[in-house]
Amino acid sequence: MSNEKTINIGLMGLGVVGSGVLRIIREKARVLAMETDRDLRVKKILVRDREKARGVDVEPALLTCDPGDILDDSSIHIVIELIGGVEPAYTYAKRAILAGKHLVTGNKDVMANHGPELLRLANEQNVDVYFEASVGGGIPLIGSFRSDLVANEIHEIYAIINGTTNYILTRMSREGAALADVLAEAQRLGFAEADPTKDVEGIDAAYKLAILTSLAFRTQVDPAAIYHEGIMQLEPADFRYAQDLGYVIKLLALARQDNGRYEAAVHPALVPQSAPLASVDGVYNAVYVVGDLVGNVMFYGRGAGSEPTASAIVADVIDVAHNIICGVTNRIPYSIDASKSLKPMDAVETRFYFRLWAADRPGVLAKIATVCGTHSISIASVIQKEADPVNQTAELVFTTHDAYERAMQAAVQDIAALDVVTRVAGFLRIVDVGESV
Ligand code: HSE
């Protein structure tokens, strides 16, 4: 039991989230003091530029550009790391733990790449690492996986965990707009970064999926090993056909485990219109989980932004404060079953959708069907709607029954090489997740 009346915090990073955290700790000081029976005091703030204008009033004396002012100050109990990116954040996080400080971080890059190591180190040093804000902003996910769902064997996770792409896909779906136009407007409105690569290529979602999957499946998932495919190739026609077929297009982060092997991938997918995930629109995030005891559970909310993310950070700080007061650490162990292995993407089985332009004459469909048959792919439906009478071509849309990724990729290559096929224009996986009844 610690009797010190003040818990000192070192805040690293004073950007959008850091400013929100500072403001909330100050505005709610009385409530937080009642909650923890201690004063939570931000003692030092690490910034890159002390002169920069901030979205929050801050006494100049609190600011420092020297990380040592926090990491070497033995009176600081908790470091909140909100710098973002792997370095120097990872080095600072490690130094904080080795100096005996508790760490609260919202950094998905650090936790996806070095989380298990930091948790192990924290265990050795008898300090805590909390990282609720690293995935899904204010949505309670990490705590739920670490404690509320811990009695379950989690079989499946289907998640929409990138707000930028969900905003873009929602607008393309509603307005029939082209991706480049929606992306440009999203950037103008501040919903997409100036360099949106990590979001639109599915990298941000893969990092978040690595964190969730490591916790849920109790293993160590390497984010670099997660297959990821982005949204840039999607065309308005794909959204029209998805709707005709009873689906919506979402950038899905999914993971499933079975008999010691697990799948983990991020890619755009057709999701049934009747599934709860299909109605997660705009910048909202959701994570749909299937556990052996709890059944299906969906977490929904704002996955980014100053206040939702600060909500998770401040909650973690309060939890750590409770631990400090009670003189305990690592109440929730982090266990890893290293024998579980990631299934290669080409061994994953799912349904597929593909769209192509081909000659509009007898026998064309038969040639395409023959290629599918050769690769043991069973066609579930074919649509022909659009035709170009001048070039005598038609747009054909196929869906398949379950097939191996390896077989489907090979089939699409062979189909694209047929002399009757002008262009394979769309290729998506169909994920028949959790339809509500
Ligand atoms: N760029 C992320 C998103 C938010 O669009 O969801 C930060 O993780």
Side-chain angles (χ1 to χ4, degrees):
M1 175 86 78
S2 162
N3 290 319
E4 286 178 65
K5 280 309 284 179
T6 301
I7 290 182
N8 288 317
I9 296 167
L11 177 59
M12 298 186 129
L14 194 58
V16 175
V17 178
S19 305
V21 167
L22 181 63
R23 191 169 52 73
I24 286 161
I25 289 178
R26 283 173 172 174
E27 278 176 13
K28 300 203 174 196
R30 267 167 52 86
V31 181
L32 299 181
M34 269 164 56
E35 179 67 35
T36 56
D37 195 28
R38 296 291 186 280
D39 291 325
L40 299 181
R41 171 181 169 226
V42 176
K43 191 176 176 201
K44 245 342 168 212
I45 305 171
L46 180 71
V47 291
R48 248 197 308 248
D49 175 5
R50 293 186 58 179
E51 308 308 322
K52 191 179 157 186
R54 312 275 164 194
V56 60
D57 280 339
V58 50
E59 302 83 325
L62 281 185
L63 301 179
T64 179
C65 295
D66 178 2
D69 285 347
I70 291 175
L71 299 170
D72 300 332
D73 180 344
S74 59
S75 71
I76 288 181
H77 304 91
I78 304 174
V79 169
I80 303 178
E81 186 276 298
L82 295 170
I83 298 170
V86 173
E87 283 297 357
Y90 163 60
T91 301
Y92 295 166
K94 214 165 155 174
R95 273 181 63 189
I97 294 168
L98 288 170
K101 301 182 189 313
H102 305 281
L103 177 71
V104 172
T105 177
N107 190 324
K108 61 181 167 286
D109 305 62
V110 166
M111 289 314 291
N113 288 291
H114 301 287
E117 180 204 348
L118 293 180
L119 288 161
R120 256 192 317 272
L121 203 60
N123 194 31
E124 287 162 20
Q125 297 294 320
N126 277 319
V127 294
D128 277 317
V129 173
Y130 276 63
F131 50 105
E132 184 61 66
S134 64
V135 184
I139 310 172
L141 293 168
I142 306 298
S144 303
F145 280 115
R146 294 191 85 185
S147 61
D148 302 320
L149 294 173
V150 76
N152 285 262
E153 184 72 12
I154 304 292
H155 294 305
E156 299 167 45
I157 299 172
Y158 302 93
I160 295 170
I161 38 177
N162 183 268
T164 306
T165 47
N166 205 41
Y167 172 83
I168 293 170
L169 298 181
T170 302
R171 289 203 48 191
M172 288 180 77
S173 173
R174 286 185 188 158
E175 298 162 27
L179 191 138
D181 297 339
V182 178
L183 174 57
E185 202 182 333
Q187 286 172 311
R188 196 174 55 73
L189 295 171
F191 290 131
E193 305 269 353
D195 176 2
T197 313
K198 280 193 167 176
D199 294 314
V200 299
E201 296 297 334
I203 299 164
D204 173 82
Y207 277 12
K208 293 168 179 169
L209 184 66
I211 297 171
L212 289 184
T213 310
S214 297
L215 291 177
F217 296 171
R218 299 182 178 98
T219 187
Q220 184 167 347
V221 179
D222 174 6
I226 294 182
Y227 174 86
H228 67 88
E229 185 182 305
I231 63 166
M232 293 305 285
Q233 71 288 4
L234 296 172
E235 296 178 8
D238 294 312
F239 291 81
R240 288 198 300 274
Y241 285 113
Q243 190 171 19
D244 288 352
L245 290 161
Y247 290 89
V248 294
I249 300 177
K250 293 291 180 193
L251 182 69
L252 217 56
L254 70 158
R256 297 184 265 230
Q257 68 165 336
D258 183 26
N259 285 328
R261 292 183 92 198
Y262 64 92
E263 301 167 18
V266 174
H267 53 66
L270 298 189
V271 173
Q273 282 165 357
S274 59
L277 279 174
S279 50
V280 176
D281 284 335
V283 295
Y284 276 85
N285 285 195
V287 178
Y288 184 90
V289 181
V290 183
D292 63 345
L293 305 175
V294 74
N296 305 343
V297 180
M298 189 162 98
F299 301 87
Y300 171 84
R302 288 184 183 276
S306 172
E307 291 196 345
T309 311
S311 155
I313 294 282
V314 176
D316 278 354
V317 168
I318 292 172
D319 238 348
V320 174
H322 285 148
N323 290 351
I324 292 173
I325 293 162
C326 297
V328 295
T329 50
N330 294 296
R331 281 183 299 112
I332 306 170
Y334 178 65
S335 57
I336 289 180
D337 178 352
S339 71
K340 291 185 181 176
S341 63
L342 178 66
K343 204 188 259 192
M345 188 63 185
D346 65 5
V348 170
E349 241 185 320
T350 191
R351 295 183 57 216
F352 293 91
Y353 151 106
F354 59 98
R355 175 170 64 86
L356 54 83
W357 282 88
D360 196 6
R361 61 168 188 263
V364 169
L365 213 50
K367 283 192 176 183
I368 297 167
T370 301
V371 174
C372 287
T374 307
H375 289 281
S376 305
I377 289 160
S378 170
I379 294 168
S381 72
V382 184
I383 305 174
Q384 178 177 338
K385 271 194 175 166
E386 304 293 326
D388 176 348
V390 177
N391 294 313
Q392 295 193 319
T393 54
E395 189 174 38
L396 295 167
V397 174
F398 294 80
T399 66
T400 74
H401 292 295
D402 271 344
Y404 286 106
E405 177 84 23
R406 181 191 310 115
M408 193 67 230
Q409 294 286 356
V412 166
Q413 242 182 9
D414 289 354
I415 289 167
L418 289 173
D419 57 356
V420 293
V421 171
T422 321
R423 170 171 99 97
V424 176
F427 176 83
L428 288 160
R429 296 162 191 88
I430 301 174
V431 179
D432 288 308
V433 52
E435 293 192 57
S436 57
V437 284

